[in-house]
Amino acid sequence: MSNRKLLEVINLETHFTTEAGTVKAVDNVSFSLERGETIGIVGESGSGKSVTSLSAMRLIPNPPGKIVGGQILFHDSEKSAPVDLVQLSENEMRHYRGNEISMIFQEPMTSLNPVFTCGDQVLEAIMLHQSIAKAEATNLTLELFAKVQLPDPQRVFDAYPHQLSGGQKQRVMIAMAMSCNPSILIADEPTTALDVTVQKTILQLMNDLRDEMDASVIFITHDLGVIAEIADRVIVMYKGKIVEQGNVYDIFANPQHPYTKGLLACRPPLDYRMTKLPVVSDFMNVTFAEDGTRIIEERESSMQKIIESAKVKPSESKQRYDKLFAQKPLLQVKGLKTWFPSKKNFFGKTLEYVKAVNDVSFDVHPGETLGLVGESGCGKTTLGRSVLRLVPNIMGGEIIFDGKSVLDLNQRDLKDLRREMQIIFQDPYSSLNPRMTIGNAIMEPMQVHGVLGNDKERKDKVVELLETVSLEADHFNRYPHEFSGGQRQRICVARALALRPKFIICDESVSALDVSVQAQVLNLLMELREKFNFTYIFISHDLSVVKFMSDRMIVMNKGEIEEMGLADDIYANPTKEYTQKLIDAIPKGRIEDIAKRMALLK
């Protein structure tokens, strides 16, 4: 790795003007990037990490945002003195944006134009920055698709974004970003919504491309486990400021700032079981001075002390399992088949099916959490929705809930049963009506099902539910857009609780959250299970989250059960190669693994 600096960010200040006043999104931030180096920028939503990268690209929308101070020095190999990107005109910046500094955004579906083929979009980027003919640009696009390991590059070239999987769309975005051989690649949360197996291949691909093209990478994420897999140095940001930065091994082995300690501790552990996950507030207390200055105080408790106090003893786990499995199952699924037509003839007769769920059987006991894990497309979400009869294509099998056959119920009886069975969806924002206050959104199912005598009693119950999920009574009259992602998920939990159900399906309900907020929501779900004896099916592609939440686990693959058993046993001794692949792909962030990786770089 060369010692020559490629990028220097010096005292960067980026502010946004809002109705509430000026927000210092990036507040006096300084760091440097060397050629061939990968820097990881980590922090929660609102920490300023994405705004820092957008500032480097000069992509801050003005208004409401503006770079108000500092320098972003790019060391151009063709010039003797560094170029301050802040001072360039928009026309001059176009030479550097794409050619020298390129960016991969978090959500490829919103970054790719849905009305153009993937090939045409990469082709356009190449021809915009390079003076080459269309035929040559087409060949270069196909070569890039092959380089980012897309299967059948010609098919992908001709495909529209909606015809590709999430991982394939992300590879198209990487190909577009690398099309002009940039010196710096900025990756903004490029793996957040991906399966762990796809995430692992994307991280390896970015490492390989960095080495092959001698590029430098700024990798932005909220997950320190991912940072451990890819970064040489780490920058930890909190509320617009850098609170800690250093070598990746030093940050993991000996974190100094309480915020860093909190981020490291709140990741679900894999080698032991905990009653609750540590959260950032366990390590630091935030207050404000009279002038509005934020004061961070470190709490006394050590990281290890907090973790040890929450560990579950093996004997306690055994007692829980003995108690759970001695009961009669609350839910029984026998030979369930949910198939979707994939090919029909001229007369509309189905010729082929996609067997999303194929001959699946399992039981769930009262008070148990059963985890469903697998890659995208494995059938886990379809299985969860089939149990609630939210999909129309159930072709066979039985679903017995609390002694009743769910598949045999008429619509009136099914409506009554839905009081007992609720679901929390993945995206809380699309689950809530933006025109309805959150109080009315929680109260609505109570009105539909006639819970309590009148709306005054229901409103009192809603306030009680808001407080149960750690929100406040005066939040009743606010709208969904006024809340953070974690708060919106708590609102959805409160709505699921409104009908006092026995059984709740959590469908990827924490996958889009920061690891710190994720820890809070997982702890809340665990507390509610203990308080109300809820029974959960917990669906996720993240095996570490499923292992923390679940008593037993089902691993699904291509619509069928690959493996089923106690969550601890499956992780410790997987019997199937597919399960082992899922476990191997989890970013573990172990000190010994980081030390080995750093040794190979020397």
Side-chain angles (χ1 to χ4, degrees):
M1 188 187 296
S2 168
N3 288 324
R4 190 170 71 79
K5 285 185 174 62
L6 188 58
L7 187 75
E8 289 181 274
V9 176
I10 303 170
N11 302 326
L12 181 64
E13 298 265 350
T14 303
H15 295 177
F16 285 80
T17 303
T18 70
E19 292 180 359
T22 299
V23 174
K24 296 181 178 180
V26 178
D27 191 3
N28 196 31
V29 163
S30 299
F31 65 91
S32 62
L33 176 69
E34 297 175 0
R35 185 171 294 278
E37 180 182 37
T38 297
I39 285 183
I41 303 181
V42 71
E44 298 169 287
S45 296
S47 63
K49 55 189 189 297
S50 291
V51 178
T52 299
S53 66
L54 291 169
S55 300
M57 292 285 288
R58 289 277 305 278
L59 289 174
I60 299 295
N62 183 13
K66 188 178 181 182
I67 299 174
V68 298
Q71 296 175 290
I72 303 171
L73 302 180
F74 178 77
H75 293 260
D76 193 329
S77 57
E78 297 178 0
K79 299 187 178 183
S80 56
V83 177
D84 187 356
L85 302 181
V86 175
Q87 302 302 323
L88 297 182
S89 67
E90 179 58 30
N91 199 40
E92 291 172 320
M93 186 62 201
R94 286 198 188 101
H95 167 74
Y96 291 94
R97 190 188 297 132
N99 282 328
E100 296 289 355
I101 308 175
S102 199
M103 192 163 185
I104 305 166
F105 294 96
Q106 177 173 357
E107 180 42 69
M109 195 62 203
T110 57
S111 304
L112 293 168
N113 192 323
V115 300
F116 291 102
T117 67
C118 295
D120 282 342
Q121 294 184 61
V122 178
L123 191 74
E124 181 188 31
I126 292 172
M127 295 183 70
L128 188 66
H129 289 279
Q130 301 180 44
S131 301
I132 58 176
K134 185 174 181 179
E136 188 180 347
T138 299
N139 289 332
L140 182 55
T141 301
L142 290 170
E143 287 175 16
L144 283 164
F145 283 173
K147 188 175 285 186
V148 298
Q149 299 168 26
L150 279 164
D152 194 352
Q154 185 63 58
R155 182 189 69 80
V156 174
F157 187 98
D158 296 329
Y160 290 88
H162 73 273
Q163 296 175 300
L164 302 181
S165 69
Q168 288 174 332
K169 285 195 284 278
Q170 197 60 279
R171 288 166 192 263
V172 171
M173 287 298 299
I174 293 172
M176 188 185 296
M178 304 302 292
S179 61
C180 297
N181 296 325
S183 302
I184 300 171
L185 180 63
I186 300 174
D188 186 5
E189 302 266 14
T191 62
T192 296
L194 301 179
D195 299 332
V196 285
T197 49
V198 179
Q199 174 179 270
K200 184 177 181 179
T201 58
I202 294 291
L203 294 178
Q204 187 58 54
L205 172 63
M206 291 186 65
N207 269 332
D208 293 343
L209 291 173
R210 178 197 67 180
D211 296 340
E212 182 183 333
M213 304 176 79
D214 195 26
S216 300
V217 177
I218 297 175
F219 194 97
I220 297 165
T221 182
H222 62 261
D223 189 346
L224 273 161
V226 172
I227 288 291
E229 301 280 316
I230 195 168
D232 304 309
R233 285 192 297 125
V234 184
I235 294 169
V236 183
M237 292 190 70
Y238 177 72
K239 302 298 183 185
K241 291 180 178 288
I242 293 176
V243 296
E244 187 167 0
Q245 61 177 308
N247 176 288
V248 64
Y249 179 85
D250 294 337
I251 294 290
F252 274 76
N254 189 26
Q256 298 300 305
H257 196 277
Y259 181 67
T260 311
K261 294 175 183 177
L263 288 181
L264 283 167
C266 66
R267 293 176 300 134
L270 287 164
D271 47 357
Y272 51 87
R273 185 167 283 278
M274 300 180 75
T275 54
K276 62 177 289 189
L277 293 170
V279 294
V280 170
S281 60
D282 290 331
F283 297 88
M284 64 185 227
N285 185 43
V286 180
T287 56
F288 292 89
E290 289 185 7
D291 62 356
T293 304
R294 186 177 285 103
I295 302 169
I296 297 174
E297 297 174 334
E298 183 168 7
R299 294 188 183 273
E300 294 286 324
S301 299
S302 71
M303 192 166 161
Q304 196 57 40
K305 185 177 178 182
I306 290 172
I307 291 170
E308 288 296 329
S309 66
K311 278 188 180 180
V312 177
K313 297 174 183 175
S315 59
E316 293 172 338
S317 293
K318 185 178 184 306
Q319 288 172 6
R320 174 173 169 78
Y321 299 148
D322 290 344
K323 182 180 177 182
L324 280 177
F325 305 138
Q327 304 173 87
K328 182 181 176 182
L330 178 67
L331 175 71
Q332 295 172 285
V333 175
K334 302 176 183 179
L336 184 64
K337 296 178 181 177
T338 305
W339 298 357
F340 296 95
S342 62
K343 186 178 180 181
K344 295 184 178 183
N345 64 14
F346 179 77
F347 301 102
K349 182 180 178 182
T350 301
L351 301 176
E352 293 179 9
Y353 289 93
V354 173
K355 297 179 180 180
V357 177
N358 194 28
D359 198 22
V360 167
S361 302
F362 62 89
D363 296 338
V364 189
H365 297 264
E368 180 187 8
T369 300
L370 179 72
L372 283 183
V373 69
E375 298 172 291
S376 294
C378 72
K380 56 188 186 295
T381 291
T382 302
L383 175 55
R385 296 186 183 199
S386 297
V387 167
L388 297 180
R389 264 185 62 183
L390 294 176
V391 290
N393 297 81
I394 299 173
M395 308 295 286
E398 291 183 83
I399 303 169
I400 311 296
F401 179 80
D402 204 12
K404 301 185 183 94
S405 175
V406 176
L407 298 182
D408 294 333
L409 295 178
N410 59 36
Q411 287 301 314
R412 176 179 289 181
D413 292 337
L414 184 61
K415 177 185 171 184
D416 291 339
L417 186 67
R418 291 240 168 92
R419 282 189 60 171
E420 307 288 335
M421 308 165 76
Q422 289 290 297
I423 186 167
I424 303 168
F425 294 102
Q426 177 173 356
D427 182 1
Y429 195 71
S430 61
S431 305
L432 295 167
N433 187 332
R435 296 183 180 89
M436 185 181 285
T437 66
I438 63 112
N440 286 325
I442 297 169
M443 192 160 66
E444 184 183 40
M446 299 167 72
Q447 293 169 326
V448 169
H449 287 276
V451 176
L452 300 178
N454 54 57
D455 279 353
K456 183 184 181 306
E457 290 180 11
R458 293 182 190 116
K459 184 173 181 179
D460 291 341
K461 185 63 179 178
V462 171
V463 169
E464 180 187 324
L465 288 168
L466 287 172
E467 290 172 347
T468 299
V469 298
S470 302
L471 294 173
E472 297 173 15
D474 61 6
H475 288 161
F476 186 100
N477 293 313
R478 295 190 190 178
Y479 290 88
H481 73 273
E482 299 180 77
F483 295 88
S484 68
Q487 287 175 319
R488 284 197 289 266
Q489 199 58 281
R490 289 170 183 270
I491 292 163
C492 290
V493 171
R495 186 173 61 178
L497 300 180
L499 298 178
R500 306 170 191 163
K502 294 179 181 177
F503 173 71
I504 299 176
I505 293 178
C506 304
D507 186 7
E508 298 276 13
S509 53
V510 297
S511 62
L513 303 179
D514 295 335
V515 286
S516 53
V517 179
Q518 174 182 279
Q520 295 171 22
V521 174
L522 292 176
N523 286 342
L524 171 64
L525 292 171
M526 293 283 268
E527 288 166 13
L528 293 172
R529 185 185 73 180
E530 299 309 309
K531 184 176 180 180
F532 299 108
N533 197 37
F534 285 139
T535 305
Y536 292 132
I537 288 182
F538 194 91
I539 301 169
S540 179
H541 63 259
D542 188 338
L543 197 142
S544 60
V545 169
V546 171
K547 182 180 176 296
F548 168 74
M549 282 295 298
S550 305
D551 299 298
R552 286 186 303 142
M553 184 191 302
I554 291 175
V555 180
M556 288 194 69
N557 184 22
K558 297 178 181 177
E560 299 180 355
I561 292 178
E562 189 83 14
E563 192 164 355
M564 178 165 56
L566 293 176
D568 293 334
D569 293 347
I570 286 180
Y571 177 74
N573 298 295
T575 60
K576 298 294 180 72
E577 185 180 338
Y578 178 77
T579 310
Q580 185 62 56
K581 184 178 79 166
L582 288 180
I583 292 170
D584 290 343
I586 301 168
K588 299 174 178 66
R590 292 185 297 224
I591 301 295
E592 57 270 26
D593 294 339
I594 298 171
K596 287 177 186 175
R597 184 172 67 81
M598 299 301 287
L600 292 173
L601 295 174
K602 291 181 180 178

PDB file of all heavy atoms in Angstrom, residues 446-468:
ATOM      1  N   MET A 446     -58.543  -1.977  16.402  1.00  0.00           N
ATOM      2  CA  MET A 446     -59.392  -2.162  17.582  1.00  0.00           C
ATOM      3  C   MET A 446     -60.844  -1.811  17.253  1.00  0.00           C
ATOM      4  O   MET A 446     -61.781  -2.468  17.723  1.00  0.00           O
ATOM      5  CB  MET A 446     -58.875  -1.287  18.735  1.00  0.00           C
ATOM      6  CG  MET A 446     -57.456  -1.632  19.165  1.00  0.00           C
ATOM      7  SD  MET A 446     -56.716  -0.382  20.251  1.00  0.00           S
ATOM      8  CE  MET A 446     -57.623  -0.652  21.756  1.00  0.00           C
ATOM      9  N   GLN A 447     -61.034  -0.784  16.403  1.00  0.00           N
ATOM     10  CA  GLN A 447     -62.384  -0.405  15.989  1.00  0.00           C
ATOM     11  C   GLN A 447     -62.994  -1.473  15.089  1.00  0.00           C
ATOM     12  O   GLN A 447     -64.167  -1.827  15.231  1.00  0.00           O
ATOM     13  CB  GLN A 447     -62.333   0.949  15.264  1.00  0.00           C
ATOM     14  CG  GLN A 447     -61.937   2.114  16.162  1.00  0.00           C
ATOM     15  CD  GLN A 447     -61.632   3.383  15.382  1.00  0.00           C
ATOM     16  OE1 GLN A 447     -61.115   3.312  14.263  1.00  0.00           O
ATOM     17  NE2 GLN A 447     -61.940   4.537  15.958  1.00  0.00           N
ATOM     18  N   VAL A 448     -62.187  -1.990  14.157  1.00  0.00           N
ATOM     19  CA  VAL A 448     -62.667  -3.010  13.219  1.00  0.00           C
ATOM     20  C   VAL A 448     -63.155  -4.249  13.956  1.00  0.00           C
ATOM     21  O   VAL A 448     -64.191  -4.839  13.620  1.00  0.00           O
ATOM     22  CB  VAL A 448     -61.558  -3.375  12.202  1.00  0.00           C
ATOM     23  CG1 VAL A 448     -61.941  -4.610  11.397  1.00  0.00           C
ATOM     24  CG2 VAL A 448     -61.281  -2.204  11.273  1.00  0.00           C
ATOM     25  N   HIS A 449     -62.410  -4.644  14.992  1.00  0.00           N
ATOM     26  CA  HIS A 449     -62.728  -5.881  15.711  1.00  0.00           C
ATOM     27  C   HIS A 449     -63.571  -5.647  16.974  1.00  0.00           C
ATOM     28  O   HIS A 449     -63.850  -6.599  17.714  1.00  0.00           O
ATOM     29  CB  HIS A 449     -61.433  -6.607  16.087  1.00  0.00           C
ATOM     30  CG  HIS A 449     -60.750  -7.239  14.912  1.00  0.00           C
ATOM     31  ND1 HIS A 449     -61.093  -8.476  14.421  1.00  0.00           N
ATOM     32  CD2 HIS A 449     -59.746  -6.785  14.115  1.00  0.00           C
ATOM     33  CE1 HIS A 449     -60.323  -8.770  13.384  1.00  0.00           C
ATOM     34  NE2 HIS A 449     -59.507  -7.765  13.180  1.00  0.00           N
ATOM     35  N   GLY A 450     -63.960  -4.387  17.209  1.00  0.00           N
ATOM     36  CA  GLY A 450     -64.827  -4.104  18.353  1.00  0.00           C
ATOM     37  C   GLY A 450     -64.156  -4.321  19.692  1.00  0.00           C
ATOM     38  O   GLY A 450     -64.826  -4.719  20.665  1.00  0.00           O
ATOM     39  N   VAL A 451     -62.862  -4.071  19.779  1.00  0.00           N
ATOM     40  CA  VAL A 451     -62.152  -4.209  21.052  1.00  0.00           C
ATOM     41  C   VAL A 451     -62.470  -3.003  21.934  1.00  0.00           C
ATOM     42  O   VAL A 451     -62.370  -1.857  21.491  1.00  0.00           O
ATOM     43  CB  VAL A 451     -60.628  -4.314  20.814  1.00  0.00           C
ATOM     44  CG1 VAL A 451     -59.874  -4.348  22.141  1.00  0.00           C
ATOM     45  CG2 VAL A 451     -60.309  -5.550  19.978  1.00  0.00           C
ATOM     46  N   LEU A 452     -62.878  -3.235  23.181  1.00  0.00           N
ATOM     47  CA  LEU A 452     -63.269  -2.222  24.169  1.00  0.00           C
ATOM     48  C   LEU A 452     -64.584  -1.559  23.752  1.00  0.00           C
ATOM     49  O   LEU A 452     -65.074  -1.717  22.627  1.00  0.00           O
ATOM     50  CB  LEU A 452     -62.162  -1.185  24.373  1.00  0.00           C
ATOM     51  CG  LEU A 452     -60.821  -1.759  24.864  1.00  0.00           C
ATOM     52  CD1 LEU A 452     -59.775  -0.664  24.994  1.00  0.00           C
ATOM     53  CD2 LEU A 452     -60.996  -2.474  26.197  1.00  0.00           C
ATOM     54  N   GLY A 453     -65.162  -0.772  24.666  1.00  0.00           N
ATOM     55  CA  GLY A 453     -66.526  -0.279  24.478  1.00  0.00           C
ATOM     56  C   GLY A 453     -66.669   0.936  23.595  1.00  0.00           C
ATOM     57  O   GLY A 453     -67.643   1.082  22.871  1.00  0.00           O
ATOM     58  N   ASN A 454     -65.698   1.862  23.649  1.00  0.00           N
ATOM     59  CA  ASN A 454     -65.814   3.103  22.872  1.00  0.00           C
ATOM     60  C   ASN A 454     -64.424   3.649  22.551  1.00  0.00           C
ATOM     61  O   ASN A 454     -63.405   3.130  23.028  1.00  0.00           O
ATOM     62  CB  ASN A 454     -66.636   4.144  23.644  1.00  0.00           C
ATOM     63  CG  ASN A 454     -66.068   4.382  25.043  1.00  0.00           C
ATOM     64  OD1 ASN A 454     -64.913   4.742  25.198  1.00  0.00           O
ATOM     65  ND2 ASN A 454     -66.899   4.142  26.067  1.00  0.00           N
ATOM     66  N   ASP A 455     -64.389   4.736  21.755  1.00  0.00           N
ATOM     67  CA  ASP A 455     -63.102   5.272  21.291  1.00  0.00           C
ATOM     68  C   ASP A 455     -62.289   5.911  22.413  1.00  0.00           C
ATOM     69  O   ASP A 455     -61.057   5.954  22.330  1.00  0.00           O
ATOM     70  CB  ASP A 455     -63.329   6.292  20.172  1.00  0.00           C
ATOM     71  CG  ASP A 455     -63.549   5.618  18.816  1.00  0.00           C
ATOM     72  OD1 ASP A 455     -63.381   4.376  18.750  1.00  0.00           O
ATOM     73  OD2 ASP A 455     -63.867   6.314  17.842  1.00  0.00           O
ATOM     74  N   LYS A 456     -62.957   6.404  23.461  1.00  0.00           N
ATOM     75  CA  LYS A 456     -62.195   6.966  24.578  1.00  0.00           C
ATOM     76  C   LYS A 456     -61.380   5.871  25.264  1.00  0.00           C
ATOM     77  O   LYS A 456     -60.190   6.058  25.567  1.00  0.00           O
ATOM     78  CB  LYS A 456     -63.133   7.627  25.590  1.00  0.00           C
ATOM     79  CG  LYS A 456     -62.369   8.301  26.742  1.00  0.00           C
ATOM     80  CD  LYS A 456     -63.292   8.871  27.774  1.00  0.00           C
ATOM     81  CE  LYS A 456     -62.497   9.562  28.887  1.00  0.00           C
ATOM     82  NZ  LYS A 456     -61.475   8.700  29.504  1.00  0.00           N
ATOM     83  N   GLU A 457     -62.026   4.724  25.492  1.00  0.00           N
ATOM     84  CA  GLU A 457     -61.308   3.598  26.113  1.00  0.00           C
ATOM     85  C   GLU A 457     -60.193   3.108  25.186  1.00  0.00           C
ATOM     86  O   GLU A 457     -59.108   2.757  25.643  1.00  0.00           O
ATOM     87  CB  GLU A 457     -62.285   2.453  26.404  1.00  0.00           C
ATOM     88  CG  GLU A 457     -63.276   2.756  27.520  1.00  0.00           C
ATOM     89  CD  GLU A 457     -64.223   1.584  27.767  1.00  0.00           C
ATOM     90  OE1 GLU A 457     -63.972   0.484  27.232  1.00  0.00           O
ATOM     91  OE2 GLU A 457     -65.212   1.772  28.501  1.00  0.00           O
ATOM     92  N   ARG A 458     -60.494   3.109  23.879  1.00  0.00           N
ATOM     93  CA  ARG A 458     -59.469   2.659  22.922  1.00  0.00           C
ATOM     94  C   ARG A 458     -58.293   3.623  22.904  1.00  0.00           C
ATOM     95  O   ARG A 458     -57.137   3.199  22.823  1.00  0.00           O
ATOM     96  CB  ARG A 458     -60.082   2.535  21.515  1.00  0.00           C
ATOM     97  CG  ARG A 458     -61.124   1.424  21.414  1.00  0.00           C
ATOM     98  CD  ARG A 458     -61.679   1.291  20.012  1.00  0.00           C
ATOM     99  NE  ARG A 458     -62.823   0.388  20.031  1.00  0.00           N
ATOM    100  CZ  ARG A 458     -64.079   0.717  19.728  1.00  0.00           C
ATOM    101  NH1 ARG A 458     -64.361   1.962  19.350  1.00  0.00           N
ATOM    102  NH2 ARG A 458     -65.036  -0.182  19.783  1.00  0.00           N
ATOM    103  N   LYS A 459     -58.568   4.919  22.958  1.00  0.00           N
ATOM    104  CA  LYS A 459     -57.469   5.902  22.958  1.00  0.00           C
ATOM    105  C   LYS A 459     -56.596   5.724  24.195  1.00  0.00           C
ATOM    106  O   LYS A 459     -55.362   5.792  24.110  1.00  0.00           O
ATOM    107  CB  LYS A 459     -58.033   7.320  22.914  1.00  0.00           C
ATOM    108  CG  LYS A 459     -56.937   8.373  22.809  1.00  0.00           C
ATOM    109  CD  LYS A 459     -57.486   9.778  22.602  1.00  0.00           C
ATOM    110  CE  LYS A 459     -56.339  10.777  22.489  1.00  0.00           C
ATOM    111  NZ  LYS A 459     -56.821  12.164  22.263  1.00  0.00           N
ATOM    112  N   ASP A 460     -57.229   5.491  25.336  1.00  0.00           N
ATOM    113  CA  ASP A 460     -56.450   5.245  26.558  1.00  0.00           C
ATOM    114  C   ASP A 460     -55.568   4.013  26.389  1.00  0.00           C
ATOM    115  O   ASP A 460     -54.419   3.990  26.843  1.00  0.00           O
ATOM    116  CB  ASP A 460     -57.392   5.059  27.755  1.00  0.00           C
ATOM    117  CG  ASP A 460     -58.111   6.347  28.141  1.00  0.00           C
ATOM    118  OD1 ASP A 460     -57.635   7.425  27.735  1.00  0.00           O
ATOM    119  OD2 ASP A 460     -59.156   6.256  28.821  1.00  0.00           O
ATOM    120  N   LYS A 461     -56.124   2.987  25.713  1.00  0.00           N
ATOM    121  CA  LYS A 461     -55.353   1.756  25.478  1.00  0.00           C
ATOM    122  C   LYS A 461     -54.189   2.024  24.527  1.00  0.00           C
ATOM    123  O   LYS A 461     -53.084   1.498  24.724  1.00  0.00           O
ATOM    124  CB  LYS A 461     -56.267   0.671  24.897  1.00  0.00           C
ATOM    125  CG  LYS A 461     -55.587  -0.685  24.722  1.00  0.00           C
ATOM    126  CD  LYS A 461     -55.147  -1.281  26.040  1.00  0.00           C
ATOM    127  CE  LYS A 461     -54.499  -2.639  25.871  1.00  0.00           C
ATOM    128  NZ  LYS A 461     -54.042  -3.190  27.163  1.00  0.00           N
ATOM    129  N   VAL A 462     -54.418   2.861  23.507  1.00  0.00           N
ATOM    130  CA  VAL A 462     -53.347   3.199  22.562  1.00  0.00           C
ATOM    131  C   VAL A 462     -52.207   3.912  23.284  1.00  0.00           C
ATOM    132  O   VAL A 462     -51.029   3.629  23.051  1.00  0.00           O
ATOM    133  CB  VAL A 462     -53.884   4.064  21.402  1.00  0.00           C
ATOM    134  CG1 VAL A 462     -52.736   4.595  20.548  1.00  0.00           C
ATOM    135  CG2 VAL A 462     -54.831   3.248  20.532  1.00  0.00           C
ATOM    136  N   VAL A 463     -52.548   4.845  24.152  1.00  0.00           N
ATOM    137  CA  VAL A 463     -51.522   5.560  24.927  1.00  0.00           C
ATOM    138  C   VAL A 463     -50.711   4.569  25.761  1.00  0.00           C
ATOM    139  O   VAL A 463     -49.480   4.650  25.840  1.00  0.00           O
ATOM    140  CB  VAL A 463     -52.176   6.636  25.822  1.00  0.00           C
ATOM    141  CG1 VAL A 463     -51.165   7.189  26.823  1.00  0.00           C
ATOM    142  CG2 VAL A 463     -52.749   7.762  24.968  1.00  0.00           C
ATOM    143  N   GLU A 464     -51.422   3.610  26.380  1.00  0.00           N
ATOM    144  CA  GLU A 464     -50.747   2.574  27.168  1.00  0.00           C
ATOM    145  C   GLU A 464     -49.799   1.745  26.281  1.00  0.00           C
ATOM    146  O   GLU A 464     -48.666   1.435  26.680  1.00  0.00           O
ATOM    147  CB  GLU A 464     -51.793   1.661  27.800  1.00  0.00           C
ATOM    148  CG  GLU A 464     -51.216   0.542  28.659  1.00  0.00           C
ATOM    149  CD  GLU A 464     -52.286  -0.433  29.125  1.00  0.00           C
ATOM    150  OE1 GLU A 464     -53.418   0.014  29.415  1.00  0.00           O
ATOM    151  OE2 GLU A 464     -51.993  -1.654  29.179  1.00  0.00           O
ATOM    152  N   LEU A 465     -50.259   1.413  25.056  1.00  0.00           N
ATOM    153  CA  LEU A 465     -49.423   0.637  24.128  1.00  0.00           C
ATOM    154  C   LEU A 465     -48.200   1.430  23.682  1.00  0.00           C
ATOM    155  O   LEU A 465     -47.099   0.881  23.568  1.00  0.00           O
ATOM    156  CB  LEU A 465     -50.245   0.224  22.906  1.00  0.00           C
ATOM    157  CG  LEU A 465     -51.302  -0.858  23.135  1.00  0.00           C
ATOM    158  CD1 LEU A 465     -52.225  -0.964  21.937  1.00  0.00           C
ATOM    159  CD2 LEU A 465     -50.625  -2.208  23.401  1.00  0.00           C
ATOM    160  N   LEU A 466     -48.386   2.728  23.413  1.00  0.00           N
ATOM    161  CA  LEU A 466     -47.249   3.576  23.021  1.00  0.00           C
ATOM    162  C   LEU A 466     -46.187   3.585  24.114  1.00  0.00           C
ATOM    163  O   LEU A 466     -44.985   3.494  23.833  1.00  0.00           O
ATOM    164  CB  LEU A 466     -47.725   5.005  22.727  1.00  0.00           C
ATOM    165  CG  LEU A 466     -48.509   5.205  21.428  1.00  0.00           C
ATOM    166  CD1 LEU A 466     -49.081   6.618  21.354  1.00  0.00           C
ATOM    167  CD2 LEU A 466     -47.616   4.945  20.212  1.00  0.00           C
ATOM    168  N   GLU A 467     -46.636   3.690  25.350  1.00  0.00           N
ATOM    169  CA  GLU A 467     -45.692   3.695  26.473  1.00  0.00           C
ATOM    170  C   GLU A 467     -45.050   2.318  26.643  1.00  0.00           C
ATOM    171  O   GLU A 467     -43.889   2.213  27.034  1.00  0.00           O
ATOM    172  CB  GLU A 467     -46.406   4.140  27.749  1.00  0.00           C
ATOM    173  CG  GLU A 467     -46.785   5.618  27.705  1.00  0.00           C
ATOM    174  CD  GLU A 467     -47.669   6.051  28.863  1.00  0.00           C
ATOM    175  OE1 GLU A 467     -48.205   5.157  29.566  1.00  0.00           O
ATOM    176  OE2 GLU A 467     -47.835   7.275  29.063  1.00  0.00           O
ATOM    177  N   THR A 468     -45.800   1.239  26.320  1.00  0.00           N
ATOM    178  CA  THR A 468     -45.250  -0.121  26.396  1.00  0.00           C
ATOM    179  C   THR A 468     -44.070  -0.297  25.456  1.00  0.00           C
ATOM    180  O   THR A 468     -43.096  -0.984  25.775  1.00  0.00           O
ATOM    181  CB  THR A 468     -46.341  -1.162  26.054  1.00  0.00           C
ATOM    182  OG1 THR A 468     -47.398  -1.045  27.007  1.00  0.00           O
ATOM    183  CG2 THR A 468     -45.781  -2.583  26.092  1.00  0.00           C
TER     184      THR A 468
END
